[in-house]
Amino acid sequence: MYDFTIIVPVYNEEENLERVEKELLAYIAIATKKTSILFVNDGSKDKSQELIEAICQRNEAFNFINFEANRGLSAAIKAGFDHVEAPLVGYIDSDLQTAPEDFNLLLQHIGEYDLVTGVRANRKDSFVKNISSTIANGIRRAFTSDGMDDTGCPLKVIKSDYAKRIPMFKGLHRFLPAMILLQEGKVLQVPVQHFPRVAGTAKFGVWNRLLGPLMDCFAYLWMKKKYINYTVKSKG
């Protein structure tokens, strides 16, 4: 029924979810593809699941997956990839520091490319957060040579067949463009809007922005060396 499904990972975001509903409904009305929403509740301990179920009951295009326990952002994204049925899948954080309407900017290019990611222009984060992200992106780019300036940007569109082949593990959400390149796909980055967080609390600090990506780079190098890639020429 849908051409495009947006994954929204949720972890203790009860203060944001009504705003998320409003913003995503507004986007669906102007979307260039017929769009559905898939919440992935990553074991929230607040009232997030109660709110998600209410949102889904009153909106036909909204669905959810609810984890038994918190498993992290990479697991939430992986679950979304596994369950999506639309040919295109998107991803946005539930803090809405990026704008859903900017999905239309990314969708303009998805025909030629297999992943299109946002680049947060004029970031509205703290100085420490911006510096730690800049350093982490520099480290990751040196290891992967993916040419991406901001893989942490929580606004992406991917062709679903590529997304479903990504062998995700904890922390690999930072390497989505590199994992598409391993499949000999094409990636592109496009400037998008960025806004300060207005409710809830950030789930990542300085240390897991720096040490986590550094350790994950070595996991990526191992995977790149061992990655199996093939193309079927014919069937009979």
Side-chain angles (χ1 to χ4, degrees), residues 33-121:
K33 303 283 186 183
K34 189 174 183 181
T35 301
S36 65
I37 310 300
L38 178 60
F39 289 110
V40 182
N41 183 16
D42 183 21
S44 296
K45 297 178 175 62
D46 61 1
K47 294 181 180 179
S48 290
Q49 181 59 25
E50 179 182 333
L51 291 168
I52 287 170
E53 291 184 18
I55 291 170
C56 292
Q57 286 176 358
R58 58 180 175 254
N59 297 290
E60 182 181 4
F62 287 63
N63 295 283
F64 71 85
I65 297 170
N66 183 29
F67 283 4
E68 285 188 350
N70 177 245
R71 289 292 180 260
L73 180 57
S74 291
I77 295 173
K78 170 63 172 169
F81 289 170
D82 288 345
H83 287 81
V84 72
E85 296 179 359
L88 296 173
V89 59
Y91 155 54
I92 190 170
D93 275 352
S94 50
D95 60 18
L96 289 184
Q97 287 192 254
T98 50
E101 63 261 30
D102 283 348
F103 274 121
N104 284 347
L105 298 176
L106 308 188
L107 287 167
Q108 291 177 16
H109 304 279
I110 198 62
E112 181 180 355
Y113 293 88
D114 304 301
L115 175 147
V116 184
T117 182
V119 178
R120 291 168 286 190

Side-chain angles (χ1 to χ4, degrees), residues 175-196:
F175 294 79
L176 293 177
M179 297 308 298
I180 299 302
L181 290 174
L182 279 186
Q183 299 179 47
E184 300 180 352
K186 297 175 65 179
V187 300
L188 178 71
Q189 55 185 1
V190 175
V192 297
Q193 303 173 82
H194 190 246
F195 306 94

